[in-house]
């Protein structure tokens, strides 16, 4: 049986604050680094970042060989003791992450060891590279990483004989330069090939050189007093606030998104119910809310505040035309074709502004369904064939070549 060592770490500059993780998969026999992973995860705690690093490392090892045994080394006493079963997991943000980590390999094939921070330099430097990249609005790139060289240089300097004061820094620099020079050519090519071989494909069998996508996590606002009665509630009506149920839904969504720890920015429709939902999440994540006019709901004109049945009784011909054609609009309102153009323009602006980042878009039924429909290349009538619950989460990723991948639709698990 093949044996891997996973070293993982995470950090938060503020706790909670801007956070990132790093993880390394090492061949236990040869000591060769087989895979590195690092990611800026937005605002999170140290513990969330550490757990994210563990999950990434275990997933990387599983991709390399799902039948391997794994020895995890971390400088987080909390994670090591909790995953070893010696400490209880009490914090609600930790439980789903620990459960995810436990599902990757059978427990009988994973062992955990606490190590001092100075022996976890490689993963620590990866986490800091990821946080530095996130601060620049970029995504960590393995091709630009020097974490392995830095860690090896630091170990070499620490093991070197002591000399006059001031020699330590010079020795570390020399060691790093020597390691970097020695690792060029064939070794560097081998490392690059190993990373590419271990990296998961982007999209469905798409080449990895498309880069990191702009990922939009789509959150429908929480309930308003009109939602349970299924009344038309667009952008041309009274702009209702969240109900008590809607505020509770927003809190639950915020907790789930905080536990996920991947949101880097928040953009909201300007309508009140979305802003209230967005600010609830933003308060939990420590982020600002930016408004995007293109994410507002359809203007349903004369139908605002009415139920479907009431519209059918009062304006049956107009309703039939609206159901039959995306170009038909409610009296005084917007057609789905108009909304589609507006949402598409907003999508293009946001994709360019947040390339390579994960962004929460807090919006409404029609904009979310439209983004999903366009990503799938589905016809306009598909808008009537999707269920989208209040405070549900969906996700679409957009790549540099214009292709999109629907990752999630109408997830309400956080509300149960």
């Amino acid at each position: 049986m093949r044996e891997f060592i996973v070293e993982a770490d995470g950090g938060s500059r503020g706790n909670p604050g801007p956070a990132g993780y790093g993880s390394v998969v090492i061949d236990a026999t040869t000591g060769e680094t087989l895979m590195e992973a690092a990611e800026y995860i937005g605002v999170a705690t140290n513990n969330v970042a550490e757990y994210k690093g563990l999950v990434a490392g275990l997933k990387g090892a599983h991709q390399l060989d799902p039948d391997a045994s794994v020895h995890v080394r971390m400088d987080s006493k909390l994670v090591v003791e909790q995953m070893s079963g010696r400490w209880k997991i009490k914090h609600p943000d930790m439980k789903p992450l620990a459960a995810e980590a436990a599902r990757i390999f059978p427990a009988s094939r994973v062992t955990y060891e606490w190590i001092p921070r100075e022996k976890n330099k490689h993963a620590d430097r990866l986490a800091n590279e990821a946080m530095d990249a996130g601060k620049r609005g970029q995504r960590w790139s393995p091709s630009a990483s020097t974490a392995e060289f830095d860690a090896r240089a630091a170990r070499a300097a620490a093991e070197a004989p002591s000399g006059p004061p001031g020699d330590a820094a010079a020795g570390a620099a020399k060691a790093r330069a020597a390691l970097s020079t020695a690792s060029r050519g064939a070794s560097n090519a081998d490392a690059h090939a190993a990373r590419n071989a271990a990296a998961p494909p982007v999209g469905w069998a798409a080449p990895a050189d498309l880069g990191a996508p702009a990922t939009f996590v789509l959150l429908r606002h929480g309930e308003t007093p009109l939602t349970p009665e299924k009344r038309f509630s667009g952008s041309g009506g009274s702009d209702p606030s969240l109900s008590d149920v809607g505020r509770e839904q927003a809190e639950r969504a915020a907790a789930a998104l905080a536990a996920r720890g991947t949101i880097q920015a928040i953009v909201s429709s300007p309508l009140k119910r979305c802003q209230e939902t967005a600010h609830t999440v933003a308060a939990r994540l420590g982020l600002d809310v930016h408004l995007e006019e293109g994410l507002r709901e359809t203007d349903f004109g004369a139908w605002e505040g009415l139920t479907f049945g009431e519209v059918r009784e009062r304006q049956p011909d107009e309703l039939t035309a609206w159901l039959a054609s995306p170009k038909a609009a409610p009296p005084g309102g917007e057609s789905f074709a108009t909304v589609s153009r507006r949402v598409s323009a907003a999508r293009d602006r946001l994709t360019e502004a947040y390339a390579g980042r994960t962004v929460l878009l807090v919006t409404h039924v029609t904009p979310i369904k439209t983004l999903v429909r366009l990503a799938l290349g589905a016809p306009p009538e598909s808008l009537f064939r999707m269920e989208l619950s209040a405070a549900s989460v969906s996700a679409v990723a957009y790549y540099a070549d214009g292709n999109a991948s629907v990752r999630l639709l109408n997830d309400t698990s956080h509300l149960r």
Side-chain angles (χ1 to χ4, degrees):
M1 180 185 294
R2 197 173 183 188
E3 183 178 356
F4 296 136
I5 295 170
V6 169
E7 295 179 347
D9 199 10
S12 171
R13 295 170 180 172
N15 199 30
Y21 68 75
S23 54
V24 189
V25 181
I26 301 167
D27 188 302
T29 303
T30 66
E32 177 189 2
T33 296
L34 302 176
M35 197 192 78
E36 294 175 315
E39 185 180 7
Y40 173 70
I41 61 174
V43 175
T45 64
N46 282 330
N47 291 338
V48 166
E50 289 163 345
Y51 262 111
K52 289 280 186 180
L54 170 63
V55 169
L58 290 173
K59 285 183 175 179
H62 193 271
Q63 289 168 5
L64 291 169
D65 188 346
D67 297 319
S69 65
V70 181
H71 183 63
V72 177
R73 301 194 302 212
M74 298 181 68
D75 61 59
S76 170
K77 188 75 169 174
L78 177 81
V79 174
V80 167
E81 294 298 318
Q82 288 181 342
M83 292 304 298
S84 298
R86 292 185 289 270
W87 290 2
K88 290 184 178 180
I89 305 172
K90 298 180 180 180
H91 198 288
D93 289 350
M94 302 297 109
K95 290 182 179 180
L97 293 170
E100 182 179 7
R103 287 194 297 266
I104 298 170
F105 282 97
S108 60
R109 287 199 268 122
V110 184
T111 57
Y112 290 87
E113 176 191 2
W114 177 85
I115 57 175
R117 181 170 296 275
E118 58 269 19
K119 292 188 177 181
N120 201 27
K121 291 290 188 184
H122 193 166
D124 173 74
R125 289 171 191 266
L126 285 169
N128 278 282
E129 284 184 349
M131 286 185 277
D132 290 340
K135 187 176 181 180
R136 297 191 299 269
Q138 300 173 345
R139 198 175 182 90
W140 176 84
S141 170
S143 62
S145 175
T146 62
E148 183 174 9
F149 295 150
D150 291 342
R152 290 168 62 189
R155 286 197 299 269
E159 294 167 1
S162 59
D167 278 3
K174 289 179 181 178
R176 177 178 169 182
L179 289 168
S180 179
T181 301
S183 298
R184 291 176 185 150
S187 297
N188 196 39
D190 290 344
H192 183 71
R195 286 169 181 153
N196 284 345
V202 180
W204 178 256
D209 60 3
L210 291 178
T215 301
F216 295 157
V217 177
L218 310 171
L219 174 63
R220 185 190 170 195
H221 61 80
E223 281 190 11
T224 74
L226 300 180
T227 307
E229 299 178 6
K230 297 187 180 299
R231 295 185 178 275
F232 283 96
S233 181
S235 59
S238 61
D239 194 11
S241 297
L242 297 179
S243 64
D244 289 342
V245 171
R247 283 187 283 274
E248 172 64 22
Q249 289 172 334
E251 291 287 355
R252 288 176 178 266
L257 292 166
R260 188 174 299 180
T262 57
I263 302 300
Q264 296 168 279
I266 300 176
V267 179
S268 173
S269 156
L271 298 185
K272 189 184 301 180
R273 53 198 182 271
C274 283
Q275 288 204 54
E276 290 176 351
T277 304
H279 281 289
T280 299
V281 179
R284 187 71 177 258
L285 300 185
L287 296 173
D288 295 327
V289 175
H290 304 279
L291 301 184
E292 168 54 60
E293 183 68 21
L295 295 179
R296 60 184 172 82
E297 181 59 288
T298 307
D299 184 346
F300 292 110
W303 300 349
E304 293 280 354
L306 301 179
T307 65
F308 189 88
E310 290 169 342
V311 173
R312 185 170 51 196
E313 289 179 4
R314 300 178 191 186
Q315 298 181 330
D317 293 341
E318 290 86 347
L319 180 62
T320 298
W322 180 71
L323 293 172
S325 172
K327 296 181 180 179
E334 286 182 298
S335 69
F336 284 145
T338 299
V339 175
S340 181
R341 288 191 294 271
R342 167 162 59 80
V343 170
S344 296
R347 174 203 61 195
D348 293 344
R349 287 192 297 272
L350 295 170
T351 301
E352 181 178 1
Y354 295 102
R357 305 180 73 189
T358 299
V359 184
L360 179 69
L361 305 188
V362 185
T363 180
H364 311 262
V365 169
T366 310
I368 293 174
K369 287 185 176 182
T370 298
L371 288 168
V372 171
R373 178 184 77 78
L374 294 172
L376 293 173
E381 56 264 31
S382 64
L383 293 175
F384 297 110
R385 299 173 184 171
M386 287 184 255
E387 177 67 26
L388 207 66
S389 305
S392 63
V393 175
S394 305
V396 181
Y398 295 92
Y399 294 93
D401 65 350
N403 283 316
S405 173
V406 175
R407 303 285 181 84
L408 188 67
L409 181 65
N410 196 41
D411 178 18
T412 58
S413 59
H414 52 283
L415 302 179
R416 296 196 287 270

